[in-house]
């Protein structure tokens, strides 16, 4: 799969519109964008910001033991998160994604988080897409598409109230998973919100 598209940046109005649709404060929504993707949905090559999760790849290859053993031998799959550090830089991340796609493209795309919201490909139905390929293609085209996915995921996951009330721990738990505290997601969200609100 080609990971380049129009790579159109979002306007401030498009960001504010998603926040309005969610009925949350724009600064709170922007704090999530800041923490998840450092405020940008694309890397320098115009590809969506992405992170390949090897433990997810391991899980998605469960019905194909031969493929899983190949992925494990290449260091692309293992059962437990945190077994090895993430690669440094977007080029290294995409090198992993492309190697994983050569083993099983569908599983690789499902195992990667995409764009401004860093939504896992496995959540494509939650964001209103008919396939993970459709989700990735939308993420390649524009940050507005990435924001649409992010808003849809927040709604589908029932996290509007947490974001509306700036319950950062509750939001981080639902958005990033039960291990959110290991990366201090709640603290980072609170800090980003304060900076944006006072900026």
């Amino acid at each position: 799969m080609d990971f380049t598209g129009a790579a159109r940046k979002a306007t401030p109005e498009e960001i504010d519109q998603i926040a309005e649709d969610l009925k949350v404060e724009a600064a709170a929504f922007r704090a999530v964008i800041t923490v998840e993707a450092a405020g940008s949905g694309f890397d320098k090559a115009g590809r969506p910001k992405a992170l390949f999760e090897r433990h997810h790849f391991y899980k998605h290859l469960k019905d194909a033991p031969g493929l899983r053993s190949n992925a494990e031998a290449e260091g692309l799959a293992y059962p437990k998160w945190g077994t090895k550090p993430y690669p440094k830089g977007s080029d290294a991340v995409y090198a992993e994604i492309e190697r994983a796609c050569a083993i099983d493209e569908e599983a690789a795309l499902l195992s990667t988080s995409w764009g401004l919201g860093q939504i896992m490909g496995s959540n494509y139905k939650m964001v209103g897409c008919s396939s993970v390929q459709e989700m990735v293609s939308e993420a390649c085209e524009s940050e507005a598409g990435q924001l649409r996915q992010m808003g849809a995921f927040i709604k589908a996951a029932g996290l509007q109230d947490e974001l509306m009330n700036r319950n950062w721990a509750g939001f981080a738990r639902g958005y990033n998973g039960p291990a959110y505290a290991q990366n201090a997601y709640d603290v980072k969200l609170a800090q980003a919100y304060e900076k944006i609100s006072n900026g």
Side-chain angles (χ1 to χ4, degrees), residues 13-171:
E13 292 77 18
E14 286 172 329
I15 296 171
D16 291 345
Q17 184 61 56
I18 299 293
E20 187 177 322
D21 291 346
L22 289 170
K23 298 180 174 61
V24 302
E25 189 181 351
F29 185 61
R30 287 172 184 271
V32 182
I33 295 170
T34 299
V35 171
E36 289 298 327
S40 174
F42 296 102
D43 66 12
K44 290 179 181 177
R47 301 167 298 197
K49 288 270 185 76
L51 189 62
F52 177 69
E53 297 283 7
R54 302 167 193 144
H55 63 297
H56 282 272
F57 196 44
Y58 182 94
K59 178 183 72 175
H60 288 300
L61 291 174
K62 67 180 182 295
D63 295 324
L67 295 182
R68 180 189 275 179
S69 61
N70 288 346
E72 287 184 282
E74 291 194 33
L76 293 170
Y78 39 68
K80 187 178 178 185
W81 176 81
T83 300
K84 293 181 182 177
Y86 291 114
K88 300 287 186 184
S90 192
D91 287 344
V93 169
Y94 269 96
E96 279 204 341
I97 293 170
E98 287 167 5
R99 286 170 55 216
C101 282
I103 295 172
D104 186 319
E105 180 179 286
E106 176 96 359
L109 300 182
L110 292 170
S111 304
T112 302
S113 58
W114 302 98
L116 280 168
Q118 287 296 285
I119 307 296
M120 289 296 299
S122 55
N123 293 316
Y124 69 87
K125 289 182 181 176
M126 288 179 75
V127 304
C129 292
S130 60
S131 67
V132 67
Q133 288 84 358
E134 180 187 336
M135 178 183 173
V136 176
S137 292
E138 183 180 35
C140 289
E141 287 303 307
S142 69
E143 286 183 344
Q146 296 174 13
L147 289 168
R148 186 205 67 74
Q149 293 177 5
M150 190 176 171
F153 178 81
I154 289 170
K155 283 182 181 177
L159 294 172
Q160 281 174 276
D161 285 348
E162 282 78 5
L163 194 55
M164 191 184 303
N165 296 321
R166 300 189 297 281
N167 174 3
W168 301 122
F171 182 82

